[in-house]
Amino acid sequence: MVGVRNRIAPYFWVTKPRIVELLLATAIPTLFLASDGFPSVVVTLAVVIGGSAAAASANTYNSVYDRDIDAVMHRTGSRPMASGSISVRAGVIQASVLGVISVLTLGLLTNWLAAFLGFLAITLYALAYTVLLKRSTPQNIVWGGAAGCMPVLIAWAAVTGTLGWTPLVLFAIVFFWKPAHYWPLAIKYRDDYAAAGIPMLPVVAPARVVTRNVALYSIAMAISSIVLIPIAPMGWVYTVGAVILGAWFIVISLGLVKLSHRDNAVYEDLQEPAMKAFHGSITYLALLFLLIGVSPFLP
């Protein structure tokens, strides 16, 4: 049993399940908002299974393509593709099968708009971000990160069969959140990215520039969360929570800016506060979308 488990485990971890969980944390509350209450069981299962399969497919393609740079970086050196636990052929087959499962699940159980958006999410992450942007531009995480915003569109389309201003605002929240979330992590692992030749913003720009960008995206993210109030519309519980959460995270990001402007400040001085910002961004997104999910049940 242990031997079988050890052989199967790499195929699970190559899908980056923690990222899948984070994406579901935005998709599931969107289902409740789009349904103005409880979504149907079929649609919920379709989005959870189809959305998870889409994310797992994209992550597996990413792991296959990035196995060379993952092997160089300390943070990613033990990943299944980088360590050789999974062959390239097996990785491509798994990614492709998961992609087909995603599209068919969403298409047959919800609608083909949701299925197309699932396919688009895979393409954006596996091709646009992984192949075209990640190794070529410091703005890789900005435009490539759009793939991580797709779950809210998929969930909304699965319920309504259409798109509109509300899902687009939800998309904007996650879009602006992504750089504010990822660049602090890149500050921590700046040397890893430099060794792998990845032009992540902290590798190519001074700390002041990076922290200023984190703050600007945090402000844009908070503003987007407020714009949702009249668009959806949202109740007073969400309104109060969004304002408090947005102000809290802006304060954290401005704290990074202040530290980077100290005399002789270097990236090593920012690693600990940057990781607090990174973990804080996860808390922000989780709590904000929790408020979004419960809003249909509140005054």
Side-chain angles (χ1 to χ4, degrees), residues 173-194:
I173 293 171
V174 184
F175 180 82
F176 290 123
W177 170 84
K178 190 71 174 181
H181 162 73
Y182 202 87
W183 279 332
L185 180 69
I187 288 175
K188 168 71 172 179
Y189 294 102
R190 176 175 177 267
D191 291 342
D192 260 4
Y193 286 113

Side-chain angles (χ1 to χ4, degrees), residues 20 75 118 136:
V20 176
R75 183 173 67 92
S136 61

Side-chain angles (χ1 to χ4, degrees), residues 90-116:
V92 171
I93 291 173
Q94 172 170 307
S96 302
V97 170
L98 287 169
V100 171
I101 291 173
S102 169
V103 172
L104 291 179
T105 300
L106 291 170
L108 295 175
L109 297 183
T110 62
N111 55 71
W112 292 104
L113 174 59
F116 169 74

